Amino acid sequence: MSTITENPPVSRPAQASLTVLAIAAAIALLYFGRIFFITVVIAVIIAFLLDPVVTAFIRLRLPRAVASFIVCSIALAALYLLGLGLYTQFSGFVEDLPNYSQRMNELVDRVATDVDQVSKRTYQVIVPKRFQETPPAPGTPTLEKNGRKRGSKPTADATVPPPIQEVRIHPEPTPFLTYLYSYLRSFYDVLLMASFVPFLVYFMLSWRDHLRRSFIYLFSGPGRQVVGKSWEGVSDMVRAYMIGNFILGILLAVISSAFFFAIRMPYWPMVGPISGFLSLVPYVGLPLAMAPPLAAGLIVYNEPAIYLMIAVVVAVLHLIAMNLLYPKLVGSRVHLNPLVVTIALMFWGTLWGAIGLLLAIPITAGIKAVCDNVSNWQPYAKLLGD
C-alpha cells in the first residue's frame, strides 16, 4: 500500500525571505531594464490619453485601425510643429551664447569686487586697528622669510637649496574612439527605444479591444470582473492625471509667456512654456521654473529689481497653481497622501532618474487603482490613499 506524502508547509521566515528576494529581483529588473520599462510606460500613458480621441473617430464609422492611424499622425504632426518652434527659439539662443558668456563674466567680476570690498570692511570693523596690518612705506626694506631684507643682495654664506624637481605621472590617454563610443552609446539606446513609442502607441490603440479581452481571459471566474474594473480604473486615473497636468501647464505657460512678453524678455515664446511646465514638477518645480527666465534675462536686464520681480511672479504662480488649482484638477482623482508621494518620488527617481520623477505619481496612482478593485489588496490601497 503506497502512501502519499504531502509537501510540508513553508514556514513564515522562509516565506518572508522569498518575498524579500522577489522584491529585490523586481527592483534590479526595473533598474537594469529601465530604458525598456520607461518606453513601455510612456507608450501606455500616451495610449490612454489618445484613446478617447480614437473613440470619437470610430463614432464617425471609421475602422479602429484607420482611426488610430489618423490620431497618431495628428499627434506626431503636432509634436513636430512644437519641436520646430522650440528649435527655432533655441537656435537663436545658441547664437547669443557669446553675449551671455560676456555678461556672466561681468557679473562674476562685479560680485567678486563687491565680496572683496565687504570682506575688507568687515575686517576693519571686527579687528582692532592696532592688530591690523599697515602697508609699509615706499622704499622701506622688509624682511623675507629667510631673515634677509627684501631688495638686498644675498651674501656668499647664504646657502640656497637646490630646486626640487617634481615627478609627474601622466595617465595613459583614453582612446578617442572608445570615449566617443561610450558617450554615444547611452544616446543611441534612448533614441532606439524612443523610436518604438509611435509604433507601440498605434498598436495599443488599434488592438485595444483584443488586448483587453485577451488579458481578461487570463483570469477565471470573478477575477475577470475585477481585472476589467482595474483596467478601467487605471485608464481613468492616468487620463485624469495627465489631462489635469496638461491643462494646468498650458494655463501657467500662457500667463508666464504674457508676463515675459510684457517685460520684453528675450525668447519669451520658449521660456514661458518651459517655465510653466517645469513648475509642475513635484517639490523641485519652483527653482526649476525660476531658472529659465532668470537665465534669459541676463543679457538685457541690469537692475536687480527686475530679477526679484521675475522670481516673485513665478513663485506666486507656482503657489496658486499647486495649492488652489492642482487639488481640484488632479488631486481629486489621484488620492495619494503626501508621505507616499514623497517616497514614490525618491524610489522612482533613484531607479529611473529625472524621468522617474515625472512618472512616479502616475505609476503609484495606477498601483493604488488596482489595489482599490482587488479585495485582498484594499488595505494597501488605504495605506497609499489620503
Side-chain angles (χ1 to χ4, degrees):
M1 183 176 180
S2 60
T3 58
I4 300 175
T5 59
E6 297 181 356
N7 294 327
V10 181
S11 60
R12 289 186 177 180
Q15 187 176 3
S17 301
L18 292 176
T19 303
V20 171
L21 290 177
I23 294 175
I27 294 175
L29 183 62
L30 290 173
Y31 178 77
F32 291 104
R34 56 188 177 273
I35 298 179
F36 170 78
F37 290 108
I38 288 173
T39 305
V40 174
V41 170
I42 292 176
V44 170
I45 292 176
I46 296 175
F48 281 144
L49 290 176
L50 298 181
D51 184 65
V53 185
V54 175
T55 304
F57 276 95
I58 291 176
R59 292 175 181 175
L60 300 176
R61 297 182 180 180
L62 291 177
R64 174 169 285 274
V66 177
S68 301
F69 178 78
I70 294 174
V71 171
C72 291
S73 300
I74 295 174
L76 287 176
L79 185 63
Y80 172 77
L81 294 177
L82 178 62
L84 183 62
L86 292 177
Y87 175 77
T88 303
Q89 293 290 320
F90 186 75
S91 61
F93 176 76
V94 172
E95 293 178 357
D96 285 340
L97 280 179
N99 297 329
Y100 276 94
S101 61
Q102 182 180 1
R103 178 65 176 164
M104 288 296 297
N105 292 332
E106 293 177 357
L107 291 176
V108 170
D109 293 340
R110 183 183 303 176
V111 170
T113 304
D114 295 340
V115 170
D116 186 34
Q117 292 178 357
V118 170
S119 63
K120 289 181 179 179
R121 292 174 183 175
T122 304
Y123 176 77
Q124 293 175 359
V125 170
I126 296 177
V127 180
K129 292 185 178 180
R130 63 179 182 273
F131 295 109
Q132 295 180 7
E133 296 181 357
T134 56
T140 304
T142 57
L143 295 178
E144 295 182 350
K145 293 181 179 180
N146 55 4
R148 182 171 54 87
K149 291 183 179 181
R150 184 177 299 173
S152 61
K153 297 182 180 180
T155 58
D157 297 336
T159 58
V160 179
I164 301 175
Q165 297 181 355
E166 298 181 357
V167 179
R168 297 181 180 179
I169 301 176
H170 298 280
E172 184 178 356
T174 305
F176 176 75
L177 294 179
T178 304
Y179 173 77
L180 184 63
Y181 174 78
S182 60
Y183 180 76
L184 296 178
R185 179 61 184 271
S186 58
F187 292 97
Y188 172 76
D189 295 337
V190 173
L191 292 177
L192 179 62
M193 290 293 104
S195 63
F196 284 99
V197 172
F199 300 99
L200 288 174
V201 173
Y202 170 73
F203 289 123
M204 288 178 183
L205 291 174
S206 59
W207 289 74
R208 190 205 67 170
D209 296 335
H210 174 73
L211 291 174
R212 185 176 183 276
R213 185 170 53 252
S214 301
F215 183 73
I216 291 176
Y217 282 161
L218 293 175
F219 303 87
S220 60
R224 294 180 179 179
Q225 186 177 2
V226 173
V227 172
K229 291 182 179 179
S230 300
W231 183 293
E232 295 298 332
V234 172
S235 62
D236 293 340
M237 184 280 309
V238 171
R239 194 178 298 117
Y241 176 79
M242 298 304 297
I243 292 177
N245 277 278
F246 182 75
I247 294 174
L248 192 56
I250 290 294
L251 181 62
L252 289 175
V254 171
I255 298 176
S256 301
S257 299
F259 169 70
F260 298 151
F261 173 76
I263 63 176
R264 298 180 180 181
M265 178 178 292
Y267 309 108
W268 61 268
M270 179 182 67
V271 176
I274 292 177
S275 176
F277 279 94
L278 286 178
S279 183
L280 299 178
V281 179
Y283 292 95
V284 294
L286 182 57
L288 291 179
M290 287 183 181
L294 293 178
L298 289 176
I299 196 172
V300 292
Y301 303 134
N302 295 321
E303 298 179 358
I306 191 68
Y307 296 102
L308 180 61
M309 182 177 65
I310 293 173
V312 170
V313 171
V314 173
V316 170
L317 291 176
H318 173 80
L319 293 176
I320 293 175
M322 300 306 292
N323 293 316
L324 297 180
L325 301 178
Y326 190 88
K328 295 181 179 180
L329 295 176
V330 182
S332 60
R333 300 301 300 270
V334 175
H335 293 295
L336 294 175
N337 63 71
L339 179 60
V340 171
V341 171
T342 305
I343 295 176
L345 291 172
M346 295 171 57
F347 177 77
W348 294 107
T350 303
L351 286 181
W352 293 351
I355 300 297
L357 292 176
L358 300 177
L359 299 178
I361 295 179
I363 291 176
T364 308
I367 295 174
K368 180 184 177 297
V370 173
C371 295
D372 285 333
N373 294 279
V374 180
S375 58
N376 295 331
W377 295 354
Q378 288 180 356
Y380 298 101
K382 293 182 180 179
L383 179 63
L384 298 176
D386 53 358

